[in-house]
Amino acid sequence: AAVALSPALLRRARKARRMHAARHASSDPARAIASAWAEATDAALDAGITWSPCDTEEDIARSIASALDDTAATTALFQISRGMCAMRYGGESLAAQLTNDLPALLGSALAAIDAYARRTDGARNVMARANRRLVPASLFAQRHIRQR
């Protein structure tokens, strides 16, 4: 039984580590923003939202946002993606400005992604829902850019 649950437990541990980094953003803003972006994209993959491996952060945010019904969450997601781009390509001051709001932005985005997953779960059978939870797609996704 433990072997069957290990992907879900690994995903839960990864999420906890990333949420901790986002909550303590002032100590390492770059790590916090990268962790928030990685968690948002993993949550989206786990919910069944996909994008091309060639997509930029903005393209990925647009793909995720197209599935969400929450304007505030969409705005939060784009702020996190802009912070990731700024951090990655030299706009450290913009990235640093996000650190105070990062936990709230990430929470908003994750809540909307979770709402999307629950909406689409209604169209799936019980086995498909269990499979999504026990074998998260994010653990097996190939990434074009390494994420923490």
Side-chain angles (χ1 to χ4, degrees), residues 13-78:
R14 186 183 283 181
K15 179 178 182 174
R17 187 179 68 245
R18 290 171 177 164
M19 297 300 285
H20 177 78
R23 282 191 305 272
H24 297 90
S26 61
S27 63
D28 189 353
R31 179 173 176 256
I33 290 169
S35 293
W37 180 245
E39 184 54 37
T41 56
D42 276 4
L45 284 171
D46 294 342
I49 302 169
T50 60
W51 52 85
S52 168
C54 300
D55 284 351
T56 65
E57 286 87 356
E58 186 176 336
D59 295 333
I60 294 168
R62 196 174 300 113
S63 294
I64 298 168
S66 70
L68 307 181
D69 288 338
D70 186 330
T71 305
T74 297
T75 301
L77 186 64
F78 277 104

Side-chain angles (χ1 to χ4, degrees), residues 46-49 67 113-125 128-129 132:
D46 294 342
I49 302 169
I113 292 168
D114 185 55
Y116 167 82
R118 280 182 279 135
R119 260 194 334 272
T120 58
D121 274 352
R124 299 177 184 158
N125 66 34
R129 286 193 301 267
R132 181 179 70 79

Side-chain angles (χ1 to χ4, degrees), residues 68-133:
L68 307 181
D69 288 338
D70 186 330
T71 305
T74 297
T75 301
L77 186 64
F78 277 104
Q79 285 182 284
I80 296 169
S81 78
R82 280 192 292 278
M84 184 65 186
C85 288
M87 187 262 319
R88 187 171 281 155
Y89 303 113
E92 287 85 12
S93 64
L94 173 64
Q97 291 172 7
L98 281 178
T99 58
N100 292 335
D101 299 329
L102 197 57
L105 294 171
L106 181 57
S108 175
L110 292 178
I113 292 168
D114 185 55
Y116 167 82
R118 280 182 279 135
R119 260 194 334 272
T120 58
D121 274 352
R124 299 177 184 158
N125 66 34
V126 174
M127 290 305 293
R129 286 193 301 267
N131 188 51
R132 181 179 70 79
R133 289 186 183 99

